[in-house]
Amino acid sequence: MRGTTYWEAASLNLLKENYNACGMEEDVAVALSSDESGFMPQVKPYPTVNHHLEEGMKLHFGKYEYEVLFTPGHSDGLISLYNKENSVLFSTDHILPKISPNISYWFKGFSNPLEEFFNSLKKIQKLDVEYVIPSHGKPFQNANKRIVELLDHHQDRLHVIHENMKEPISVKSACQILFGNLAIHETRFAVGETLAHLEYLLLNDQCRKFKRDGKWYYQSI
């Protein structure tokens, strides 16, 4: 549905308003909500979706069967594929060997993507997967070791933000604390991930959120 994507005029205008409310300067808000990065040609024409995968579905690759696991967090509809026989997981972008997948709140979709990510990690953790084949990076062993690292990483970020919101903090200020100054393309993901952490704290009753002079602020309770 084209009208629901970021890459149409109405959605981009609303996106700019949201970035303004995050405290971003006007030129940055414009850049973040425009196609200056040349991203639009990479997402068009939009793909035609003929059917959707569902949790628990079985797919066959060669002689092995893989179960579809719903693992939202990095994106709302992300799935992973699990072969119980050989303890193999195609982890897609859910679990990566060297970097943390970007977990962002994009002003729509799941209201608490970071909590979705935590729940998805814990779902895989119960399987005690031995072999992981990710979308980025080389295959690796011991999924649970990496899952613990990812959970700790995000808990550290939550702690840093929470410690810095005793006084009201804007999204822009929180983003700079976590990521510093970045180029526009990286800023887009950094703001999204900062928001995911702020909204997690809000929805877990660890802070309040209010608007002042057209900008959103978060403050610990």
Side-chain angles (χ1 to χ4, degrees), residues 6 19 73-76 101-114 117 154 179 186-197:
Y6 270 164
Y19 281 126
H74 174 68
S75 64
D76 291 2
N102 179 258
I103 310 299
S104 285
Y105 176 62
W106 298 110
F107 312 107
K108 63 178 183 179
F110 284 131
S111 61
N112 197 346
L114 186 56
F117 182 57
H154 285 285
F179 298 101
E186 288 79 12
T187 297
R188 179 180 286 112
F189 293 106
V191 171
E193 184 142 337
T194 300
L195 275 165
H197 286 74

Side-chain angles (χ1 to χ4, degrees), residues 16-215:
K16 179 183 174 297
E17 293 177 15
N18 284 320
Y19 281 126
N20 284 140
C22 287
M24 310 307 292
E25 293 87 350
E26 181 67 13
D27 60 333
V28 176
V30 169
L32 289 172
S33 56
S34 69
D35 191 44
E36 289 184 7
S37 63
F39 189 68
M40 194 176 296
Q42 300 179 47
V43 300
K44 290 187 175 184
Y46 300 124
T48 299
V49 178
N50 296 315
H51 64 275
H52 294 273
L53 298 176
E54 296 180 6
E55 175 95 359
M57 286 180 63
K58 302 297 196 300
L59 302 176
H60 286 85
F61 298 99
K63 58 183 179 181
Y64 296 113
E65 180 180 80
Y66 287 81
E67 180 182 354
V68 174
L69 301 176
F70 187 44
T71 51
H74 174 68
S75 64
D76 291 2
L78 191 67
I79 61 102
S80 299
L81 299 171
Y82 172 58
N83 172 255
K84 182 177 181 180
E85 179 183 358
N86 295 300
S87 192
V88 174
L89 181 77
F90 283 94
S91 66
T92 61
D93 279 348
H94 178 49
I95 303 172
L96 302 176
K98 297 296 183 181
I99 62 172
S100 171
N102 179 258
I103 310 299
S104 285
Y105 176 62
W106 298 110
F107 312 107
K108 63 178 183 179
F110 284 131
S111 61
N112 197 346
L114 186 56
E115 187 161 272
E116 296 288 341
F117 182 57
F118 288 163
N119 290 339
S120 296
L121 287 174
K122 292 171 184 176
K123 176 192 289 188
I124 300 300
Q125 195 172 37
K126 292 177 182 178
L127 302 176
D128 196 18
V129 173
E130 180 61 27
Y131 303 101
V132 184
I133 303 173
S135 293
H136 305 277
K138 296 180 180 180
F140 61 98
Q141 291 180 259
N142 195 343
N144 282 5
K145 178 177 181 292
R146 183 61 181 144
I147 286 170
V148 170
E149 292 172 352
L150 290 169
L151 289 169
D152 287 347
H153 166 74
H154 285 285
Q155 288 299 331
D156 287 344
R157 282 191 169 175
L158 288 167
H159 177 73
V160 168
I161 293 180
H162 193 257
E163 285 296 299
N164 281 276
M165 57 165 54
K166 292 180 173 61
E167 297 297 325
I169 189 171
S170 68
V171 179
K172 176 190 172 184
S173 295
C175 185
Q176 288 180 325
I177 289 169
L178 289 180
F179 298 101
N181 296 316
L182 300 169
I184 288 297
H185 182 65
E186 288 79 12
T187 297
R188 179 180 286 112
F189 293 106
V191 171
E193 184 142 337
T194 300
L195 275 165
H197 286 74
L198 291 169
E199 289 295 309
Y200 178 92
L201 293 170
L202 175 68
L203 294 172
N204 282 277
D205 300 320
Q206 294 179 263
C207 71
R208 67 188 184 104
K209 178 183 180 181
F210 62 93
K211 210 167 194 178
R212 185 172 65 198
D213 299 327
K215 297 178 183 179

